[in-house]
Amino acid sequence: MPRVTANLYALFAERFRPRAERTCFVAADGATWTYGDVDELSARFAAMLRAAGVAPGDRVVVQVDKSVGAAALYLGCLRAGAAYTPLNTAYTPDEVAYFLGDAEPKVFVCRPQDRGGLAPIAETAGVADVWALGIQPGADAWADALGHAPDHAVAAVASDDLAAICYTSGTTGRSKGAMLSHANLSSNALALHNIWGFEDGDVLLHALPIFHVHGLFVALHTALLNASTMIFLPSFDARDVRKRLREATILMGVPTYYARLLAEPDFGADDCAGVRLFISGSAPLTAQASDAFFARTGQRILERYGMTEAGMITSNPLDGDRVAGTVGFALPEVEVRVCGDDGAERPRGDVGVLEVKGPNVFQGYWRMPEKNAEDFRADGGFITGDLATMDESGRVAIVGRAKDLIIAGGYNIYPKEIEAVLDAVPGVRESAVVGVPHPDMGEGVLAALVADAAPVADADLQAALDAKLARFKHPRRFAWVDALPRNAMGKVQKNALRERFKAAYAAASAGE
Ligand code: MCA
Ligand code: AMP
């Protein structure tokens, strides 16, 4: 039954409206917006969306730089009941074409500088409206929104109606849209706000991108629920973050953020005096990094684990032991189990695939019934593809991945997608892409290739990648081999490739 109160925006508004005069966003240049300002700006974006014919359930695809306007557009979509569909700004026009064709949005919002190139692509995909939204307050679509009278209505939705579709690449090479409902997002936000002990006066240092779950949901939602001030930086820069830490009480980041803070030789306890909580996730935080941070600052980073399809799943405790190398315990109302391929639970301590069930688990992949049939158990448990152990107390450690996935700087990179591009280059017989240890990004991308005759020039491989895939997915090294190592079943042994090339990759990357 559709209800206004099921709308995630209604939950935020209930929490922050009594504190409307409080500062919501502080931008990098010091400009501020109160909660009242943001409430009104999102109402103007909602009015503009409605005027464009966006109805509840319609998709709005957004590929823009981080700004307060972009955050207000997201909130406007929630108010209008639209399914917000964010895209990484690094995606190429080729990748954007796929997302527009798949999501079939009513409106596509891009950066002003991309509009000329992307508008024809949107037209081909049948998108009715293309808007440009830049970072300049009051310009472009932001100015257009200001020309609309605020429409404070909040769409009535059912709790399982879609609030967002977040694309994640896939092991098959085709990106999948994870459908997240209002209840998925609100249950997760409430749980995190509770277990991380948000309190009055908390200030969040927000340096994450807002096109992924970490920055858009985990960080933004918990702060909105708390009517907290967010120091809203356009991206992560270690020097800026270090400076702004002095005004913050909480920092959320991927392990690369902590590696980069530690790379500042004199970074230490003085920088963190006012911070009560450092949180890490999206990729494994090594015990070494956790210990080094503790030694330098006296603070133990709280590591948590999640994924686009389920938001946050486990977390180390706020009070109690934060154990390096573990991701803690299932969130309240979330059930995790470590299973064999048959779905039967493994004895405690054994390695298996982590499965998750609960109000956080998504509604399935957009228009992919066959994937949904594969990835869900009959009881609603979702098979994460992460390898884990669980001890007697329920504490989980992520020990590997059953899925062929590389995580660099907190971004997921699926080898299959890169192999498909490389295999299509004339002169390449076959390729295998693996992740090898990288000191800054966690993992780095390496491609092993077999030539038809002679190796193809790096520039030709690069040109093929440039045309198709976002820069962060590109292999940083190409290694030509006589043959790919295969097991008896003919499957490429990626572990063998990883072992073979990790030392050479580390040596070549040193000092980069
Ligand atoms: C940039 N580059 C990368 C990455 N980022 N390469 C691999 N992996 C990356 N993540 C490349 C660029 O293509 C460029 O290459 C060069 O590095 C420098 O780019 P630049 O933009 O200057 O990089 P940066 O500003 O130093 O960014 C690195 C970063 C950033 C700070 C680690 O990527 C970041 O903020 N990551 C956060 C990702 C995140 O939010 N993940 C959450 C996903 P070239 O010079 O050759 O062109 S949500 C999730 O995973 C789940 C739900 C969870 O649990 O949270
Ligand atoms: P994404 O698809 O971008 O949401 O990335 C989700 C994946 O990131 C998970 O399936 C894990 O493989 C990985 N991940 C997230 N947090 C952690 C963590 N704390 N430790 C290890 N892996 C993590």
Side-chain angles (χ1 to χ4, degrees):
M1 168 67 85
R3 283 174 299 123
V4 168
T5 50
N7 191 307
L8 175 62
Y9 191 84
L11 173 67
F12 294 145
E14 178 195 302
R15 298 296 185 97
F16 67 60
R17 277 200 185 134
R19 302 173 178 91
E21 76 297 339
R22 270 206 199 157
T23 301
C24 177
F25 292 112
V26 181
D29 65 1
T32 59
W33 283 261
T34 64
Y35 270 91
D37 295 337
V38 173
D39 201 15
E40 184 181 301
L41 186 55
S42 67
R44 292 184 191 273
F45 271 109
M48 184 156 83
L49 290 161
R50 290 187 174 113
V54 173
D58 283 341
R59 276 78 55 211
V60 175
V61 172
V62 178
Q63 188 189 37
V64 300
D65 288 319
K66 182 176 174 183
S67 70
V68 169
L73 169 64
Y74 163 56
L75 297 174
C77 284
L78 290 178
R79 298 182 84 135
Y84 186 77
T85 308
L87 298 182
N88 191 325
T89 46
Y91 291 150
T92 62
D94 222 63
E95 291 169 303
V96 172
Y98 168 79
F99 295 120
L100 293 178
D102 192 58
E104 296 188 313
K106 192 67 146 246
V107 176
F108 171 48
V109 190
C110 64
R111 295 184 284 202
Q113 65 270 33
D114 296 336
R115 188 183 184 145
L118 293 177
I121 291 173
E123 196 182 334
T124 307
V127 182
D129 250 320
V130 178
W131 301 349
L133 178 66
I135 54 172
Q136 220 41 54
D140 309 301
W142 196 328
D144 298 338
L146 293 175
H148 285 259
D151 178 351
H152 283 282
V154 174
V157 296
S159 49
D160 57 1
D161 280 347
L162 297 193
I165 297 180
C166 293
Y167 278 92
T168 84
S169 329
T171 41
T172 54
R174 224 182 118 205
S175 285
K176 303 163 290 183
M179 300 190 288
L180 293 150
S181 69
H182 285 262
N184 289 148
L185 300 183
S186 53
S187 66
N188 215 231
L190 287 166
L192 296 174
H193 181 262
N194 175 26
I195 63 166
W196 291 341
F198 270 79
E199 51 197 44
D200 222 27
D202 267 334
V203 174
L204 175 73
L205 183 43
H206 193 305
L208 288 156
I210 56 167
F211 44 67
H212 279 313
V213 164
H214 197 163
L216 183 64
F217 300 153
V218 183
L220 190 74
H221 288 180
T222 47
L224 291 175
L225 278 183
N226 204 57
S228 267
T229 298
M230 283 171 263
I231 302 170
F232 214 53
L233 302 181
S235 61
F236 180 87
D237 174 88
R239 295 247 166 86
D240 287 347
V241 164
R242 185 176 172 186
K243 246 186 260 154
R244 305 306 292 261
L245 262 185
R246 295 177 185 278
E247 302 154 51
T249 65
I250 302 177
L251 175 71
M252 296 186 193
V254 298
T256 300
Y257 291 11
Y258 295 105
R260 289 188 181 179
L261 285 172
L262 286 170
E264 299 266 299
D266 55 346
F267 172 78
D270 283 352
D271 295 287
C272 312
V275 181
R276 70 166 184 88
L277 188 56
F278 289 99
I279 301 175
S280 176
S282 306
L285 180 73
T286 61
Q288 194 190 10
S290 176
D291 291 346
F293 198 87
F294 183 71
R296 202 82 85 75
T297 66
Q299 301 215 34
R300 179 65 69 186
I301 298 169
L302 182 153
E303 186 174 9
R304 64 27 170 211
Y305 155 79
M307 65 191 301
T308 300
E309 290 89 335
M312 297 303 98
I313 300 170
T314 70
S315 174
N316 268 285
L318 181 66
D319 302 312
D321 287 342
R322 300 178 195 168
V323 179
T326 78
V327 292
F329 305 94
L331 261 51
E333 291 181 64
V334 174
E335 191 189 311
V336 293
R337 52 197 187 211
V338 173
C339 299
D341 289 342
D342 56 357
E345 205 161 342
R346 313 268 314 168
R348 293 286 164 116
D350 282 11
V351 175
V353 176
L354 197 77
E355 301 190 1
V356 54
K357 219 179 127 187
N360 55 328
V361 174
F362 72 136
Q363 310 297 301
Y365 294 112
W366 171 254
R367 294 181 178 163
M368 285 193 177
E370 67 303 333
K371 266 314 272 176
N372 295 332
E374 264 172 43
D375 291 350
F376 282 95
R377 298 282 177 206
D379 72 347
F382 174 66
I383 306 165
T384 63
D386 288 311
L387 296 176
T389 59
M390 194 194 292
D391 72 9
E392 289 299 337
S393 70
R395 184 183 283 277
V396 174
I398 304 296
V399 298
R401 295 173 202 136
K403 52 196 174 192
D404 191 12
L405 163 70
I406 299 167
I407 306 183
Y411 287 151
N412 286 8
I413 300 170
Y414 279 88
K416 185 86 188 159
E417 200 180 21
I418 304 160
E419 290 159 2
V421 173
L422 294 174
D423 290 352
V425 176
V428 174
R429 177 170 303 161
E430 59 175 347
S431 64
V433 169
V434 293
V436 282
H438 188 283
D440 178 45
M441 293 289 184
E443 287 183 280
V445 183
L446 175 136
L449 301 119
V450 181
D452 279 333
V456 175
D458 281 8
D460 293 338
L461 298 173
Q462 199 53 59
L465 292 162
D466 286 343
K468 295 275 180 198
L469 298 176
R471 234 358 242 148
F472 70 87
K473 300 177 184 172
H474 295 191
R476 294 304 197 255
R477 299 274 174 273
F478 302 111
W480 293 92
V481 295
D482 292 337
L484 296 176
R486 291 184 188 278
N487 65 15
M489 308 292 289
K491 194 168 174 307
V492 175
Q493 292 174 301
K494 294 211 163 174
N495 274 337
L497 281 174
R498 236 173 259 128
E499 283 306 311
R500 176 166 166 197
F501 288 110
K502 71 178 182 196
Y505 185 94
S509 306
E512 259 184 6

